Each structure stands twice: as structure tokens, then as C-alpha cells.
């Protein structure tokens, strides 16, 4: 029994990301905001951000208030998202960007990696943040999402009365 204790703590520290191709259905079945991290496998800053997330206990506990998705900007398959199918666009022999990553994350017609995107329950983009979020800024973002979600839940409960 004692052998499993270290693994239990590790398992609880895992962040469960909703795959991008399941996000639309998940949000429609159980409406709540979605926080999307647009990254690539080769981006050093993206990997640093992901490592920071795995260590951030506040992120792990707040993640019940929103969907979290890690989206590879170079994903090659088609993705249906909110009624539209987005495709990978090749820009060279082994390079390109997925249209959905660009639609969600571009600022001034440019996609920076990593980029954070927050969308609400109605698929409206509420925040785009290009670059690495330090732990304090990430915690501030989580606080804002949690407060907003709590207010939304209170409004929904009051509407049902």
C-alpha cells in the first residue's frame, strides 16, 4: 500500500486537458469558459509554460472552473470548432500553421508562441495573451476566471428561481 502513495500525489498533479477537437461538444454539453494554450513541440517557451502549469497547484485546483486545452499550432488534421471546420495550411515542406490556431491566437495578423486564449461559454474570445505567463499573472488570470464563473453560476441559479 505504501508503494502507491508517491504515485497518487503525482497523479493528482496531472492537468487533464480537453482535446481541441472535443472542446465544442464539451462546452455545449457543460457550458463553462475555455483556456487554450497555443504552442508547438519545438517552442522552448511553450515547454517552459507547460512545465510551470504542471507545478502550479492553483492551476490544478482552479481547472474545474474551465476547460483547458493545449493546442499544437502545427496539428495536421482537420478540427471542427463551433460549427466550422479548420485545416492545416502548409507553408513549406515540413512547416505550416493550423487555421484554428491562427484564428484564435493571432494579434495584428501574427501568431506568437505560446499564446493564451480565453473564450467564454458563447465562444467569444475574451483574452489573447501572446507570450509566457509568469506564475503571478497566471494566478491572476485564474482568479478572474473563477470569479467570473462564480458570478455566472449565481446568475443562472437566480434565473431558475
Amino acid at each position: 500500500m505504501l508503494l502507491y502513495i508517491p504515485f497518487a500525489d503525482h497523479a493528482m498533479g496531472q492537468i487533464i486537458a480537453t482535446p481541441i477537437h472535443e472542446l465544442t461538444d464539451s462546452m455545449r454539453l457543460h457550458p463553462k469558459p475555455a483556456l487554450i494554450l497555443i504552442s508547438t513541440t519545438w517552442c522552448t517557451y511553450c515547454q517552459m509554460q507547460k512545465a510551470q502549469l504542471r507545478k502550479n497547484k492553483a492551476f490544478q485546483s482552479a481547472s474545474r472552473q474551465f476547460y483547458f486545452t493545449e493546442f499544437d499550432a502545427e496539428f495536421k488534421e482537420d478540427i471542427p470548432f463551433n460549427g466550422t471546420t479548420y485545416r492545416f495550411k502548409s507553408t513549406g515542406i515540413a512547416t505550416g500553421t493550423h487555421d484554428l490556431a491562427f484564428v484564435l491566437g493571432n494579434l495584428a495578423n501574427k501568431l506568437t508562441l505560446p499564446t493564451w486564449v480565453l473564450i467564454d461559454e458563447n465562444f467569444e474570445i475574451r483574452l489573447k495573451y501572446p507570450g509566457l505567463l509568469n506564475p503571478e499573472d497566471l494566478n491572476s488570470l485564474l482568479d478572474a476566471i473563477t470569479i467570473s464563473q462564480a458570478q455566472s453560476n449565481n446568475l443562472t441559479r437566480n434565473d431558475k428561481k
Side-chain angles (χ1 to χ4, degrees):
M1 181 77 158
L2 291 176
L3 294 174
Y4 294 107
I5 292 173
F7 296 109
D9 184 48
H10 176 71
M12 289 176 69
Q14 299 254 332
I15 299 165
I16 299 173
T18 302
I20 190 74
H21 63 275
E22 294 177 10
L23 190 56
T24 297
D25 289 341
S26 296
M27 289 178 69
R28 288 196 173 132
L29 286 172
H30 304 286
K32 58 184 176 177
L35 187 59
I36 303 167
L37 175 60
I38 301 172
S39 62
T40 62
T41 56
W42 53 263
C43 168
T44 304
Y45 291 109
C46 301
Q47 301 316 310
M48 288 170 51
Q49 188 77 86
K50 290 177 187 180
Q52 182 191 101
L53 291 179
R54 286 189 294 273
K55 296 176 190 175
N56 190 318
K57 301 243 185 270
F59 187 86
Q60 293 165 19
S61 64
S63 65
R64 289 179 298 247
Q65 303 296 320
F66 57 89
Y67 294 102
F68 172 66
T69 299
E70 289 181 12
F71 180 33
D72 185 345
E74 297 178 327
F75 188 70
K76 303 247 186 312
E77 296 179 26
D78 294 354
I79 299 172
F81 185 79
N82 195 27
T84 303
T85 299
Y86 296 90
R87 294 174 170 71
F88 176 80
K89 287 225 174 120
S90 178
T91 57
I93 294 174
T95 62
T97 305
H98 202 283
D99 277 341
L100 182 56
F102 190 77
V103 166
L104 290 173
N106 87 82
L107 285 168
N109 219 21
K110 180 181 176 191
L111 181 63
T112 302
L113 298 172
T115 292
W116 288 96
V117 179
L118 176 64
I119 58 175
D120 67 15
E121 300 86 352
N122 300 311
F123 297 88
E124 298 289 326
I125 295 173
R126 296 294 175 199
L127 169 81
K128 290 184 188 183
Y129 182 86
L132 196 63
L133 274 175
N134 65 42
E136 295 79 23
D137 290 340
L138 180 59
N139 289 341
S140 294
L141 175 59
L142 296 174
D143 289 343
I145 294 170
T146 303
I147 291 167
S148 174
Q149 191 61 15
Q151 290 171 343
S152 177
N153 288 342
N154 285 338
L155 289 174
T156 302
R157 272 189 233 119
N158 290 335
D159 289 343
K160 291 180 182 178
K161 290 182 180 178

